[in-house]
Amino acid sequence: TRFPAMFTLWLTQSGNCWQNWRKGGRFIVLKDITIGQYFPGNSVLHRLDPRAKILLTIVYIVMIFFVGNSVGFAISILFLGACYMIARIPLKMILRSLKPIIPILIFTGILNMLFITGDDPLFEWGIISISADGIYMAIVTAIRVICLIAVSSLLTYTTSPIALTDAIERLLRPLKVVKFPVHELAMMMSIALRFIPTLVEETDKIM
């Protein structure tokens, strides 16, 4: 009985998000993209070496995809929440950074539930079969994607584009031995992040 209730709640929340996701006949998600924006501050995370933040972000992303139980996910989420509190990033910014991925979460959730079958289906209708394993994978995938976006946003929130460029260039400096264009790559990544808000704003005006 637990899984059908969770599935009903998930569908209800997804439907409400979809209805609230439209306004004036067009999507308003574009203006809610906050990744790439920098919020000045004096917290511990703001003062931390950008190279360390990049490495910790990579480690966190790798770990979140290796976690396979509820305890591991709970610890990962609590750790990320504590980092946001330390950085003093408002809760509304976290929610805004996650809002654009709602359609991705809905789409991947439906795919997981429809194509991952289990021994004991919870719901069957024709060729459609939903099992506990499919619902579990839908939830796990959603948590992983949310954590991925949240930790990536935290990196740009607490690191200026210039500092981020310098950090990337220093981390990739050993590749200069093989004539890899480290400086050019770092500059391209920095420019891309810096112009995300501008591109989003112009796209929103066009649409």
Side-chain angles (χ1 to χ4, degrees):
T1 58
R2 182 179 60 181
F3 282 103
M6 292 174 60
F7 177 62
T8 303
L9 178 61
W10 182 84
L11 284 180
T12 302
Q13 292 179 345
S14 299
N16 292 336
C17 289
W18 182 264
Q19 293 297 327
N20 296 328
W21 197 40
R22 296 181 63 91
K23 183 178 181 182
R26 67 188 184 93
F27 294 112
I28 59 172
V29 178
L30 285 174
K31 68 180 182 180
D32 295 312
I33 297 177
T34 58
I35 189 170
Q37 297 183 13
Y38 170 63
F39 297 93
N42 194 36
S43 67
V44 176
L45 285 180
H46 282 84
R47 298 194 305 267
L48 186 65
D49 191 319
R51 291 171 295 180
K53 285 189 281 188
I54 292 175
L55 293 176
L56 289 174
T57 300
I58 295 174
V59 170
Y60 182 88
I61 292 174
V62 172
M63 289 181 60
I64 199 66
F65 281 93
F66 278 96
V67 171
N69 55 70
S70 57
V71 176
F73 283 121
I75 295 175
S76 301
I77 294 172
L78 290 175
F79 174 77
L80 188 58
C83 290
Y84 267 93
M85 292 181 63
I86 293 173
R88 298 177 183 176
I89 303 296
L91 178 62
K92 63 179 181 180
M93 297 308 303
I94 306 175
L95 299 178
R96 284 185 61 187
S97 67
L98 297 178
K99 189 175 180 181
I101 66 171
I102 291 177
I104 299 177
L105 297 180
I106 295 176
F107 180 71
T108 56
I110 293 175
L111 289 181
N112 280 314
M113 288 188 295
L114 292 180
F115 291 100
I116 296 180
T117 59
D119 297 331
D120 187 17
L122 301 175
F123 173 81
E124 285 185 313
W125 184 61
I127 62 173
I128 298 176
S129 176
I130 298 177
S131 65
D133 293 336
I135 296 176
Y136 175 77
M137 281 304 303
I139 296 173
V140 168
T141 302
I143 293 175
R144 286 172 174 168
V145 173
I146 289 173
C147 290
L148 172 64
I149 299 298
V151 73
S152 301
S153 299
L154 181 62
L155 175 63
T156 61
Y157 290 162
T158 58
T159 313
S160 66
I162 296 177
L164 195 59
T165 302
D166 293 339
I168 295 173
E169 186 172 357
R170 291 180 180 178
L171 288 174
L172 298 179
R173 186 173 296 173
L175 295 179
K176 287 185 176 181
V177 178
V178 293
K179 306 298 182 180
F180 189 82
V182 173
H183 178 72
E184 289 77 6
L185 176 63
M187 285 298 298
M188 284 191 296
M189 295 178 65
S190 176
I191 292 173
L193 287 173
R194 183 177 298 182
F195 279 93
I196 285 177
T198 303
L199 292 173
V200 168
E201 182 179 354
E202 294 300 322
T203 305
D204 190 56
K205 290 179 180 179
I206 296 173
M207 296 180 62

